[in-house]
Amino acid sequence: MTLKKILTSCDLYLKKISLVLCVLLPFFQLRGRAIADLSILFIAISFLLYCIFEKHYRCLLRGWFPYALGLWGVIVASSAINGSTHAVLEAIALLRYFVFAKALEEWLLNSTQKQQLLGLCVTLAGVWIICLCWEQYLVGVNPWGYPRWQDGALTGPFFKPRAGPPLAIIMFPGLMIYPMRMVQKKDLAQKLAGLALMSFLLLTMVMIGQRMPALLVFFGFFLCAMLIKTTRLMVLLATLSGFVALALLPFISPPSYDKLVLRFFEQLGHFSQSPYGQLYIRALNMVHAHPLLGLGYNGFRAHCGETTYVYGIPQFAHMVAGQDIGAGCTIHPHNTYLEIATTAGLSGLFLFVCVVLLWLKKLLLAALASRDLMQAMLFITVCMLFWPLASTSSLFTERTAGWVFLMVGWGLARARLLGPAHAPQAGA
């Protein structure tokens, strides 16, 4: 065997193993996050080996990836200046997520069949969450005996209220894709069935009782109506049914109504004094004190208790006066853009915004040019993931990053696969 044949054989086996891990990743994200993290690392390393074996370096020097490398470099530099050795090592390890997304785009999801297989597994993961949420609502506990959370949220397959975020991410490419196809049929029965399924999915998000995932899914429905005109009427009717479900919550699920509606408006009315308002003020004070490079990986968590970052910006001083110093402290600032700003400063935030805009541009142009329904669903999902006015989990924890970079990589891979010559399918 020649060296070239050996390398080709190694690349083939690595690609097969990587594909299996990628397809199973949605299940690992739900019930095996350590395995999910190792899977992402394996796929990233396998792709880099492929680039070395095949001398395929150009893909790492074009598009969004150089901006991502710049962001990663700023995070590592800031962590080295402000953080511990552990923070620097964690910052270095963040590169795996960007390489993972690039691997899906350029190497792994390079056929329709592979993407369909991933889509099926995403669908099954979403169905599993929905079934367990409704089981908990109807029976009182999930299969592991856990009841609803203290605030009334349905936890589905989890112990804590974590069913909403993954279901919101899965919603459009994994679940909404089917009723969207149904309402495009000429048969009235199929249209009505699709409308019923859309309404059920929106009702489930409302019943789960987590505010931000529910709001983002409503936002996603709005984008559906704007982007795909052939389904506009049915999507608007389904959205109307979601508002009807909200109005009926006091009767069908009082705990969800209390959290989704009453507590939501209560927090909005006194936002600066709410836990979220205090977090955001603390984060802005940190950015004000370290505008260029931020505080490095985990910088918010490490420094939020310091009095320096309580009264940093004079305009916010009256909003934190009399508050407990711990009111603005937690492990992250609960907003992706503030997290990047506190981690890598305004320079890192600029690079991050460039990366996100390049992702959105590529996905949107592919959706409009091809009129492919799945591409539109993936674009909507990425819009939801990076909507700036949202309370979010930490971007660089595996629970969030695994889903985010899986969806981004899938969307980019599909945009690359469709190409400019793809035939219209969905009337986007």
Side-chain angles (χ1 to χ4, degrees), residues 87-393:
V88 174
L89 294 176
E90 290 276 14
I92 292 172
L94 293 181
L95 182 62
R96 69 192 186 278
Y97 293 121
F98 297 112
V99 177
F100 168 69
K102 195 65 176 176
L104 299 189
E105 178 187 10
E106 297 276 347
W107 177 61
L108 198 56
L109 298 179
N110 58 351
S111 73
T112 303
Q113 292 77 16
K114 293 175 182 177
Q115 294 189 15
Q116 288 175 342
L117 189 58
L118 174 60
L120 175 62
C121 291
V122 170
T123 298
L124 292 175
V127 170
W128 190 55
I129 294 174
I130 288 174
C131 290
L132 267 59
C133 285
W134 280 104
E135 177 186 0
Q136 194 177 49
Y137 172 73
L138 296 172
V139 179
V141 294
N142 66 11
W144 295 274
Y146 297 130
R148 298 173 74 144
W149 196 244
Q150 294 94 321
D151 61 5
L154 295 173
T155 66
F158 306 105
F159 166 64
K160 293 183 178 181
R162 291 173 176 160
L167 185 58
I169 295 171
I170 290 169
M171 180 65 70
F172 290 90
L175 300 170
M176 271 288 286
I177 186 75
Y178 301 105
M180 292 289 281
R181 288 171 179 163
M182 293 167 69
V183 299
Q184 289 183 324
K185 304 293 184 182
K186 293 183 179 180
D187 182 57
L188 180 60
Q190 288 221 43
K191 287 181 178 292
L192 293 176
L195 173 60
L197 184 52
M198 285 184 192
S199 302
F200 171 74
L201 292 174
L202 199 49
L203 172 64
T204 302
M205 284 303 308
V206 170
M207 293 294 290
I208 285 175
Q210 289 186 263
R211 292 185 295 265
M212 192 50 62
L215 284 171
L216 288 175
V217 168
F218 273 102
F219 174 58
F221 269 67
F222 168 76
L223 291 178
C224 271
M226 294 293 293
L227 189 62
I228 308 169
K229 61 183 180 181
T230 55
T231 65
R232 189 165 295 165
L233 176 61
M234 293 301 179
V235 170
L236 291 174
L237 289 174
T239 306
L240 181 61
S241 72
F243 285 111
V244 172
L246 278 173
L248 294 175
L249 272 184
F251 309 102
I252 59 178
S253 183
S256 298
Y257 176 76
D258 180 63
K259 185 174 182 181
L260 279 180
V261 180
L262 298 182
R263 291 178 61 188
F264 175 72
F265 284 106
E266 180 185 349
Q267 284 193 340
L268 281 184
H270 305 87
F271 185 74
S272 64
Q273 303 300 314
S274 71
Y276 290 106
Q278 293 294 303
L279 280 172
Y280 297 161
I281 291 171
R282 192 68 56 92
L284 289 171
N285 283 334
M286 289 183 178
V287 177
H288 181 263
H290 302 272
L292 184 61
L293 295 177
L295 289 165
Y297 184 85
N298 241 359
F300 183 88
R301 181 177 188 174
H303 299 283
C304 70
E306 298 175 12
T307 54
T308 307
Y309 307 115
V310 178
Y311 299 103
I313 303 177
Q315 289 82 354
F316 295 149
H318 69 283
M319 299 180 184
V320 296
Q323 292 283 329
D324 181 3
I325 194 171
C329 277
T330 185
I331 58 177
H332 59 90
H334 284 69
N335 177 273
T336 299
Y337 295 89
L338 283 177
E339 180 181 4
I340 296 296
T342 56
T343 301
L346 297 179
S347 58
L349 181 62
F350 171 77
L351 292 168
F352 178 72
V353 170
C354 289
V355 171
V356 172
L357 290 177
L358 287 171
W359 285 342
L360 291 172
K361 178 183 176 182
K362 187 167 185 178
L363 269 60
L364 177 60
L365 291 178
L368 294 177
S370 67
R371 300 185 183 181
D372 179 71
L373 187 58
M374 180 59 83
Q375 185 67 37
M377 297 294 99
L378 289 166
F379 168 73
I380 290 167
T381 301
V382 175
C383 285
M384 292 164 54
L385 288 171
F386 294 106
W387 180 245
L389 302 178
S391 165
T392 62
S393 298

Side-chain angles (χ1 to χ4, degrees), residues 382-408:
V382 175
C383 285
M384 292 164 54
L385 288 171
F386 294 106
W387 180 245
L389 302 178
S391 165
T392 62
S393 298
S394 176
L395 176 62
F396 293 123
T397 56
E398 201 288 322
R399 180 182 289 110
T400 304
W403 285 115
V404 169
F405 289 94
L406 175 65
M407 292 298 162
V408 167

